[in-house]
Amino acid sequence: MTTDTPLASEPVASATASGASPVRSPRRWPELLLAAAVIAIGAITIIDGMGQPVSRSASGLGAGQFPIIVGTVTAALGAVLLVQVLRGRLGHPDAAEGDLDVATLHWWQLALSAGAMVGFALTVDVLGYPIAAALTFFAVAVATGARRWLVTSAIAVVLSLGIFYLFTLALRIQLPAGVLTGIL
Amino acid sequence: MEGLEGLLHGFSVAFTLQNLLFALLGAFVGTMIGVLPGIGPALTIALLLPMTYGMPVASAFILFAGIYYGAMYGGSTTSILLKTPGESGSIVAAIDGNAMARVGRGAAALATAAIGSFIAGTIATVLVAMFAPAIVDVAVQLGAADYFALMVVAFLTVGALVGGSPLRGLISLALGLTIGLVGIDFQSGQDRLTFGMPRLLDGIDTVVLIVALFAIGEVLYVVAHQTSSKYAVASIKGQKWMTGADFRRSWKPWLRGTAIGFPLGVIPAGGSEIPTFLSYSLEKKLAKGARKQEFGKGAIEGVAGPEAANNANAAGTMVPLLTLGIPTSATAAIILVAFQQYGLQPGPALLANEADLVWGLIASLLIGNLMLLILNLPFVGVWVKLLKIPKPYLFAGIATFALLGAYAVNGASFDVLLLIAFGVVGYLLRRFGFPIAPVVVGAILGPLAELQLRRALDISAGDPLTLVSSPFSVIVYITLALVLLLPGLIRRLNKRRLSRTTMLDTVQVDGERDLESSATAQNRTKETP
C-alpha cells in the first residue's frame, strides 16, 4: 500500500524506496531502458512536428507546434527520470491487484498469453471468431494456471460460441465466421 | 432549466418502463462485471461499450448510468472480500474492509460500504443537479483561453497528484498527450505520427486504448507476476449485517466522506485516491481511545468514510464532465468517449441542446443508485458467488472480451494488434509504477486542449499573452500554482514540527504495516501457478 500513497510524494517515497525497493527489485537497467524510450518518444514527436509544413493560419500555429511542445516536455521528463533512476529512485509496482510479486517473472506464461493474443489478431479473419477466440481463451487460461484441459477447452468453446451468437443474433454486430461459414 | 426543475424533468424521461429496465440492466451488468477482481469502473464501461453500438442514444446513456454506479458497488465488494481493489479509489477501504472480513465481519463491512455508497451517491448526484446549471451559466461566457486554462489544470492535477510519484504521473500524461497527437490534424489536415500507416490516420481509437491499458495490461501483469492461481475469498456466510453500534459508528463517516469526496470531484483534483485517503486519515484522527487502535485491523469507520468519499467523488466528476466537457478521471474520460461516439460533445451547450439526455442521465444515476442498494444489500451473496470463478478462466475471459471489444470497433484486426501493443505498454506502466489514468486523460483531453489553444491564438493573431488576458484564466493559473505548491510547503512546515504526528505519517504507517502483512501473506500462500 505504501506504493500508492498519494500523499507521499518524492521525499517520503524515496525514504521507503531505500528500505523496501532494492530488496525486491535490485536491477536498474529495465527502468533505464524505459527512461531512454520516453526520451526517444519525445524526440520522434519533435522530429515529426518539425517536418510539418508552415501554417497559414492567423496565429501561425500549424500542425507542428503543439507536437513540438509535447515532444519537448516528454523528452525533458524522460531525462529527469533517467537521472532519478541513476540516483536509485526506482518505481513502485502497482499494488492494487492483490497477490503479486514482481521479483519473480513467469516468462513462458507471459510469452504464451501475449503470443495467443497476437495469434487471435492474425487468424480471426481466416479461422473465424469462434475458433480464434476459443484458442486464445484456452492459451491464456493455461498461462494463468488452468490445469484441467478438458474443462478448460469445453469452457473456451462454449464461451466463444456464446459470444458469437450473442453479438451476431442479439446485438446485430457482425463477427466473421471464417472457416465455419455455412456451419454456424 | 434550473437544478430541481431539470431533475424532475429528468425523472419524467427516466420513468418509462423501457428506460427503467435499461437502468436495472445497467445496474445488474455493472455490478456483475465490476465485482470481478481487477476490473474497475473505467474498464467495465469500456468493455461494455461495444454492446451499445446498436442502441438509441437515450437508452445507451441510461444503461451507462447504471453500469457506472454498479461497477463502483461491485468494486467495493471485491476489494473487501478479496483485497484486490482494482482501482485506486478502493485501495484505502480495502485495508480495513479486508481486515474486517478476515475476522468474520465481512457482511458488516459490505453493508456499511453499500449504504455509504448509496448515501454519498444520492447526496452528490442531487448536488450535481444543483451545481450543473449554475456552472453552465459561467461556462457559456468562457473563451478559448479560459478553457485552455481549465484543461491545463486538469492535466497537471491528474498528472502530478495521481499515484505516488509526480514525475511518473507527468510522464504518463506526456505519453497520453503523444498518443492523442496521432492521426490527422483537425485544422490543417496534415497527418502526424502515423509513420505511413493509413490505419492510423483516424488516430488511435480511445476504446482500444482504454481496454488495452486496463484489461490487457492487467492480464499480462497478473500472468507474469501472480503468486497463486487461486483467490482467497473471505466468506460472509451466516454473518450478521450491521448492528446498532455499527450504524452509530458509520453514519458520521458516511456524511463526512461525502463532504470530502464531492468537492474534490468537482474541482479537477486528480482522481479518487486523495479524497479516500483524506477521509481515512480524518476518521482515524477523530477516533478515540481503543477505536483508534482498530484502524488497519478492521475499523468500520475506515470502510464507511472512504467508500462514501469514493462514490461522492465519482459523482462530483460528472460536474466538470457535463458542464465543461473536461474529464478528470479515467472513468469520466470513457463517458466522454461514449458521448463522442454519438456525435455529442459534453460542454455548456450540451445541457441546453440535449436537456432530455443530460437530465435523464442524472435522474437515472439516482434511480440506478436506489436499485443498486437493493441489488447489493439482500443479494450480495449472489455476487459473492461470482468471486468463485477460478482465476485462470476469469483472466482468460477478460482477455477474450478485450480482444472482442477492440475487434468490434472497426471489424479490423489492425485494432487488435494495436490493443496488444498498448497492452504491453499498460503492463510496463503498472510494473514500474506509472499511473494509468493520466495516459487516458491525456490522450482524450489533449486534442481538445490543442483545439482551444489554437483557437485562442488564432483570435489573438498569435499573441501568447491572450492566454492570461482574462481574469478567469489568471485566477485559474494562480489557484493551480497554489494547489501544486501548497502540499510541498505544508510538508516543509511539518518537518519542522517532527514531534507532532502529521496526517501524512498516520497514513504512511498504516501503509507500511499493511505491506508487511501482505508480504507475509504472499509468502504463506506461495505456490507455482
Side-chain angles (χ1 to χ4, degrees):
Chain A
M1 291 300 133
T2 329
T3 56
D4 265 69
T5 308
L7 303 174
S9 46
E10 289 311 298
V12 189
S14 66
T16 51
S18 59
S21 202
V23 188
R24 298 190 118 208
S25 113
R27 284 167 305 159
R28 275 184 198 178
W29 63 264
E31 291 206 40
L32 289 177
L33 276 180
L34 213 62
V38 172
I39 297 173
I41 290 169
I44 292 169
T45 311
I46 296 172
I47 294 167
D48 190 82
M50 297 209 316
Q52 298 292 344
V54 181
S55 168
R56 289 183 300 266
S57 68
S59 61
L61 280 185
Q65 276 79 5
F66 195 70
I68 291 174
I69 299 171
V70 171
T72 312
V73 172
T74 309
L77 289 170
V80 177
L81 180 69
L82 194 71
V83 173
Q84 275 210 357
V85 174
L86 283 174
R87 291 168 67 185
R89 275 188 193 173
L90 298 182
H92 300 285
D94 185 9
E97 318 297 343
D99 285 347
L100 292 166
D101 178 17
V102 292
T104 53
L105 176 61
H106 308 305
W107 268 112
W108 73 262
Q109 285 94 334
L110 185 62
L112 175 62
S113 34
M117 292 182 203
V118 175
F120 175 87
L122 298 179
T123 58
V124 63
D125 288 320
V126 184
L127 292 180
Y129 180 80
I131 294 179
L135 289 175
T136 314
F137 182 95
F138 185 81
V140 177
V142 169
T144 327
R147 283 295 168 270
R148 291 149 70 198
W149 312 105
L150 216 59
V151 180
T152 309
S153 6
I155 294 174
V157 170
V158 171
L159 185 83
S160 53
L161 280 177
I163 292 174
F164 181 78
Y165 283 120
L166 174 76
F167 269 70
T168 49
L169 297 182
L171 297 168
R172 301 194 176 283
I173 295 166
Q174 281 310 310
L175 294 174
V179 289
L180 297 177
T181 312
I183 302 172
L184 293 175
Chain B
M1 231 181 287
E2 284 311 303
L4 267 185
E5 192 193 328
L7 199 55
L8 285 176
H9 177 69
F11 277 113
S12 73
V13 175
F15 263 113
T16 65
L17 183 65
Q18 191 198 355
N19 285 343
L20 283 175
L21 280 176
F22 270 118
L24 183 66
L25 178 71
F28 187 84
V29 179
T31 313
M32 194 171 84
I33 306 292
V35 85
L36 299 174
I39 303 190
L43 179 57
T44 307
I45 300 181
L47 282 178
L48 293 175
L49 211 53
M51 280 181 59
T52 62
Y53 287 166
M55 280 183 195
V57 56
S59 313
F61 276 95
I62 285 168
L63 190 72
F64 279 133
I67 291 172
Y68 181 25
Y69 277 9
M72 306 267 311
Y73 277 80
S76 42
T77 304
T78 325
S79 57
I80 288 170
L81 295 182
L82 210 55
K83 210 176 180 180
T84 50
E87 50 123 15
S88 50
S90 303
I91 288 176
V92 196
I95 302 173
D96 281 64
N98 192 253
M100 284 176 75
R102 268 184 280 171
V103 294
R105 305 221 320 124
L110 289 176
T112 197
I115 301 172
S117 299
F118 170 74
I119 290 175
T122 305
I123 295 175
T125 309
V126 172
L127 288 176
V128 170
M130 299 286 145
F131 272 92
I135 294 179
V136 165
D137 287 343
V138 178
V140 288
Q141 295 167 24
L142 298 180
D146 302 321
Y147 271 102
F148 183 70
L150 285 171
M151 287 168 179
V152 170
V153 172
F155 284 146
L156 288 183
T157 51
V158 171
L161 298 179
V162 171
S165 155
L167 173 67
R168 283 165 200 264
L170 288 173
I171 289 177
S172 288
L173 176 73
L175 293 177
L177 290 172
T178 310
I179 292 166
L181 288 174
V182 176
I184 291 179
D185 173 39
F186 60 92
Q187 213 177 38
S188 65
Q190 297 293 328
D191 56 307
R192 304 194 290 198
L193 292 174
T194 53
F195 309 105
M197 282 184 266
R199 284 269 182 200
L200 284 178
L201 288 176
D202 282 338
I204 289 160
D205 190 278
T206 29
V207 173
V208 173
L209 177 70
I210 290 163
V211 173
L213 291 176
F214 283 104
I216 301 294
E218 164 99 13
V219 170
L220 294 177
Y221 190 50
V222 168
V223 166
H225 300 300
Q226 65 176 359
T227 51
S228 160
S229 59
K230 291 190 178 67
Y231 278 124
V233 187
S235 169
I236 54 161
K237 232 179 206 146
Q239 286 174 19
K240 261 188 161 169
W241 295 108
M242 295 172 76
T243 60
D246 288 336
F247 261 105
R248 278 189 295 282
R249 289 177 65 176
S250 288
W251 71 271
K252 280 185 193 160
W254 288 336
L255 295 180
R256 284 193 289 254
T258 310
I260 293 173
F262 180 74
L264 287 176
V266 174
I267 58 165
S272 51
E273 260 179 340
I274 293 172
T276 50
F277 269 90
L278 281 179
S279 165
Y280 187 84
S281 32
L282 176 70
E283 294 309 330
K284 184 168 181 178
K285 239 185 181 173
L286 290 173
K288 291 192 178 66
R291 296 251 170 99
K292 205 176 201 114
Q293 302 304 315
E294 276 184 34
F295 275 82
K297 295 174 202 139
I300 197 163
E301 293 93 341
V303 183
E307 272 302 313
N310 190 17
N311 271 52
N313 185 261
T317 56
M318 299 300 278
V319 174
L321 177 69
L322 292 176
T323 61
L324 300 166
I326 297 180
T328 55
S329 69
T331 316
I334 298 175
I335 297 176
L336 180 76
V337 171
F339 272 103
Q340 287 173 337
Q341 286 197 330
Y342 286 96
L344 302 167
Q345 186 63 47
L350 187 72
L351 204 60
N353 301 340
E354 300 282 343
D356 279 9
L357 190 68
V358 175
W359 289 114
L361 174 71
I362 295 176
S364 307
L365 285 172
L366 285 170
I367 296 169
N369 208 18
L370 184 64
M371 288 173 171
L372 280 162
L373 185 68
I374 299 164
L375 277 178
N376 276 278
L377 267 189
F379 298 117
V380 71
V382 180
W383 304 118
V384 172
K385 290 218 168 65
L386 279 177
L387 293 178
K388 298 223 165 96
I389 297 176
K391 200 172 172 185
Y393 302 145
L394 179 69
F395 280 91
I398 293 175
T400 310
F401 273 100
L403 294 167
L404 171 69
Y407 187 76
V409 171
N410 293 318
S413 52
F414 178 82
D415 285 328
V416 183
L417 289 172
L418 213 55
L419 176 92
I420 300 161
F422 280 108
V424 173
V425 173
Y427 163 76
L428 291 172
L429 293 175
R430 256 164 241 270
R431 168 64 185 82
F432 295 106
F434 296 86
I436 307 280
V439 184
V440 176
V441 171
I444 291 168
L445 200 49
L448 297 175
E450 186 188 5
L451 174 76
Q452 300 291 1
L453 175 69
R454 281 162 74 174
R455 197 178 274 168
L457 290 174
D458 276 343
I459 294 167
S460 76
D463 178 11
L465 282 178
T466 188
L467 296 177
V468 289
S469 62
S470 78
F472 182 86
S473 58
V474 173
I475 294 171
V476 167
Y477 285 123
I478 291 176
T479 319
L480 173 66
L482 287 178
V483 168
L484 292 182
L485 295 177
L486 267 184
L489 285 176
I490 292 172
R491 216 174 292 130
R492 204 155 289 173
L493 282 177
N494 277 333
K495 259 186 195 163
R496 290 196 196 143
R497 296 177 290 172
L498 272 177
S499 52
R500 279 199 186 176
T501 326
T502 61
M503 249 167 36
L504 192 81
D505 292 333
T506 53
V507 175
Q508 193 60 31
V509 169
D510 294 328
E512 264 162 17
R513 188 194 303 142
D514 192 67
L515 194 74
E516 276 161 28
S517 68
S518 71
T520 49
Q522 272 175 12
N523 289 337
R524 259 189 285 118
T525 57
K526 204 158 212 166
E527 55 179 276
T528 35

